[in-house]
Amino acid sequence: MKDLKPHQIVTELDKYIIGQNDAKKSVAVALRNRWRRRQLEPDLQDEIAPKNIILIGPTGVGKTEIARRLANLTDSPFYKVEASKFTEVGYVGRDVESMIRDLVELTVNMLKGRQQEAVQEKALKIARERVLDILLPSQKSNPEFGFDTGGETSQKPDDNTSEHTRKKLGKMLDDGKLDGRKIDIDVQEKNMPMVEIFSNAGMEEMGINMKDMLGNFMPKNTKSRNVKVKEALALIAQEEAAHLVDMEEVKNDAITMVEQSGIIFVDEIDKIAGKDKSHGPEVSKEGVQRDLLPIVEGSSVPTKYGTVKTDHILFIASGAFHVSKPSDLIPELQGRFPIRVELSSLGASEFARILTEPKNALVLQYIALLRTEGVQLSFTQEAVDRIAQIAVEVNSSMENIGARRLHTLMERLLEEILFDAPDVAETMITIDADFVEKQLADIARNQDLSRYIL
């Protein structure tokens, strides 16, 4: 995990997310506390539990974006799940422990990829020698060479010539002069028939990994392919890099990383809050909460890579809580999310900043897209302010979907320009307030029309 200070974390989040300073500070403090805990004595480390967070706010205000940017900021194992996708134990569907298994799987793949990059140079050297062996077969494997009447290998006069030829071929290979030549190579096939088994607990919980088990019994099939030398080098290097990776080390490191610095973002937690009004054999919201509780409190979850303890995994939950409220969660689960941050609704000033300030600002995206067609697009400040104002008006008269409304408005605003861009003769287009008014104002005022279009 990168050891960023809280101010650095907030500064990085500011590049992509407008406002919501309270949420940014809470997340920054929680991440820094992970680093602080690791500096303590081992006995005290075990006693300090992470302070889980609930982000409360309407859709489109930045809850998920904060979590997504955190994943890019820190080197922590990160996984996003939706609480509404889970079912309680006893029903067909995903159980809550699957989030831990998925997080471990992602971390293993990440560390495996890093190790493969680390041994890439060595793998390329091995691939180079294997390609040279194909281009210039060894005399030892050629029955025409190396046997005298006594049955012992004899030194042929042209052995030095063969070595010289290999060096010459090697130089040509390094210079790329042989890239276009085709050779036959044997590559492992990955077409083993997979048996998908659905169960609540998952097969790995029973100590059985069907893929690995069948893989050990089934012979590894190889397939001969006729490819160019350049492609052959890449294929063989990839295969060799996989062989050079120490999977035991990867598994152990992955479990340690997940246990000590893992972050799970549980979205739509409000969807499992509240009392169930229906009766009968239906999936219970409280049932999912009860299943989620031991994971958040700290328990041992078996995975195919080993048992993972969830005691120090940081959980960040979020929800709009339009219908329900945080107090509708079962008391035990409420207690495991001691930090609650309310994200504010966005107004016209925030929308105007969202359109222009972030690194991935919508205005910048459309300018870049149209530049590929040779069209120079520009926006006046009045146009940006008017778009923001219309977004507020539409959100207030219909469903409030926050900053996502800007995507709809911008696409509608520039629809004709985007359509005609390849054929337009005009290369400089300026979007002003009058253009915005002409394209959007009538739609925004017409409630029936805006209900379908915006």
Side-chain angles (χ1 to χ4, degrees):
M1 180 179 172
K2 294 178 183 176
D3 301 325
L4 295 173
K5 297 175 182 177
H7 279 289
Q8 292 174 315
I9 295 170
V10 172
T11 301
E12 289 298 316
L13 290 174
D14 282 341
K15 293 178 182 177
Y16 297 97
I17 301 150
I18 299 299
Q20 314 302 359
N21 292 324
D22 290 344
K24 292 175 187 172
K25 285 173 68 175
S26 296
V27 168
V29 169
L31 286 181
R32 187 62 179 180
N33 282 341
R34 310 288 291 280
W35 177 84
R36 290 168 178 148
R37 187 181 71 83
R38 294 202 307 276
Q39 313 310 310
L40 302 174
E41 300 81 15
D43 291 344
L44 192 54
Q45 280 187 31
D46 293 337
E47 297 299 323
I48 298 177
K51 305 301 183 286
N52 300 318
I53 304 168
I54 289 186
L55 303 178
I56 304 165
T59 184
V61 297
K63 302 188 297 296
T64 304
E65 188 69 6
I66 286 174
R68 193 164 67 88
R69 293 299 169 185
L70 273 180
N72 297 332
L73 267 183
T74 67
D75 198 25
S76 306
F78 180 91
Y79 188 56
K80 176 183 178 293
V81 295
E82 293 182 6
S84 56
K85 296 290 175 65
F86 295 121
T87 61
E88 64 176 312
V89 171
Y91 289 86
V92 174
R94 300 207 74 193
D95 66 303
V96 293
E97 290 188 353
S98 66
M99 70 173 78
I100 306 297
R101 298 195 292 269
D102 291 341
L103 180 60
V104 174
E105 187 75 43
L106 286 172
T107 310
V108 166
N109 291 336
M110 178 183 71
L111 293 180
K112 183 180 176 182
R114 287 182 186 175
Q115 275 211 19
Q116 287 181 344
E117 286 179 15
V119 299
Q120 195 64 30
E121 190 176 341
K122 186 176 180 181
L124 281 170
K125 287 180 181 178
I126 297 172
R128 178 183 181 275
E129 295 304 316
R130 280 181 58 181
V131 168
L132 284 175
D133 287 341
I134 296 169
L135 290 169
L136 190 69
S138 171
Q139 290 182 4
K140 293 178 183 178
S141 61
N142 195 327
E144 295 181 10
F145 298 112
F147 294 97
D148 63 8
T149 52
E152 295 181 354
T153 303
S154 63
Q155 181 72 21
K156 295 295 287 183
D158 62 342
D159 276 357
N160 291 332
T161 306
S162 178
E163 186 63 30
H164 175 72
T165 306
R166 187 179 178 90
K167 285 183 179 178
K168 188 176 178 181
L169 266 176
K171 188 173 187 317
M172 291 174 69
L173 185 64
D174 296 337
D175 293 341
K177 293 178 181 178
L178 301 175
D179 285 354
R181 182 172 173 179
K182 287 202 167 186
I183 58 173
D184 291 323
I185 61 169
D186 292 330
V187 292
Q188 285 188 8
E189 283 190 295
K190 297 181 180 179
N191 59 351
M192 187 184 74
M194 291 301 299
V195 180
E196 291 285 349
I197 297 178
F198 297 94
S199 72
N200 271 351
M203 288 301 291
E204 57 267 36
E205 288 194 22
M206 296 189 286
I208 299 172
N209 181 6
M210 294 296 291
K211 182 178 175 183
D212 291 345
M213 185 180 74
L214 291 174
N216 291 333
F217 285 109
M218 300 279 287
K220 295 195 183 302
N221 297 326
T222 58
K223 179 183 178 182
S224 181
R225 289 183 59 187
N226 185 256
V227 296
K228 291 182 178 179
V229 166
K230 188 175 182 179
E231 187 182 350
L233 280 169
L235 287 170
I236 296 172
Q238 184 181 2
E239 195 175 288
E240 291 296 333
H243 293 155
L244 291 169
V245 169
D246 184 352
M247 280 308 295
E248 283 304 313
E249 182 185 346
V250 167
K251 291 175 186 178
N252 294 334
D253 289 349
I255 289 175
T256 301
M257 279 185 72
V258 169
E259 289 181 341
Q260 299 303 317
S261 58
I263 302 173
I264 291 182
F265 182 76
V266 185
D267 201 6
E268 297 184 359
I269 198 168
D270 56 316
K271 300 294 190 298
I272 60 168
K275 301 289 183 182
D276 291 304
K277 295 183 172 61
S278 59
H279 300 281
E282 295 183 7
V283 177
S284 162
K285 293 179 181 178
E286 283 195 18
V288 178
Q289 291 184 59
R290 284 193 297 271
D291 291 345
L292 189 61
L293 183 61
I295 306 293
V296 180
E297 280 187 331
S299 60
S300 296
V301 178
T303 73
K304 65 182 179 183
Y305 300 109
T307 302
V308 176
K309 293 182 179 179
T310 66
D311 301 67
H312 298 290
I313 292 176
L314 175 65
F315 288 87
I316 303 174
S318 81
F321 288 99
H322 286 312
V323 179
S324 57
K325 49 189 181 294
S327 58
D328 288 333
L329 295 167
I330 60 174
E332 297 89 342
L333 194 59
Q334 290 182 51
R336 295 307 299 175
F337 286 91
I339 302 174
R340 297 179 188 178
V341 185
E342 188 166 352
L343 283 77
S344 55
S345 296
L346 302 173
S349 59
E350 287 85 7
F351 283 153
R353 292 178 61 198
I354 288 169
L355 284 168
T356 55
E357 287 185 19
K359 279 190 173 183
N360 61 338
L362 274 176
V363 165
L364 299 179
Q365 290 180 29
Y366 282 101
I367 290 172
L369 284 171
L370 283 166
R371 195 183 296 130
T372 62
E373 303 274 9
V375 177
Q376 296 297 322
L377 187 69
S378 61
F379 287 76
T380 65
Q381 186 58 48
E382 291 77 14
V384 171
D385 293 340
R386 186 62 187 126
I387 295 168
Q389 186 60 45
I390 291 174
V392 172
E393 292 171 7
V394 177
N395 273 345
S396 61
S397 62
M398 294 190 295
E399 288 294 327
N400 184 359
I401 60 172
R404 293 189 178 94
R405 184 71 66 187
L406 294 173
H407 291 267
T408 314
L409 290 175
M410 287 294 289
E411 197 66 26
R412 183 69 187 173
L413 175 69
L414 300 174
E415 185 177 36
E416 292 299 324
I417 295 173
L418 291 166
F419 184 81
D420 295 329
D423 308 308
V424 74
E426 191 178 0
T427 57
M428 299 286 292
I429 299 176
T430 300
I431 306 297
D432 55 20
D434 291 338
F435 183 84
V436 174
E437 195 75 24
K438 179 184 173 184
Q439 295 294 112
L440 298 178
D442 290 342
I443 299 171
R445 291 192 193 100
N446 188 328
Q447 292 292 321
D448 293 331
L449 197 56
S450 61
R451 208 173 291 276
Y452 292 100
I453 294 177
L454 300 177

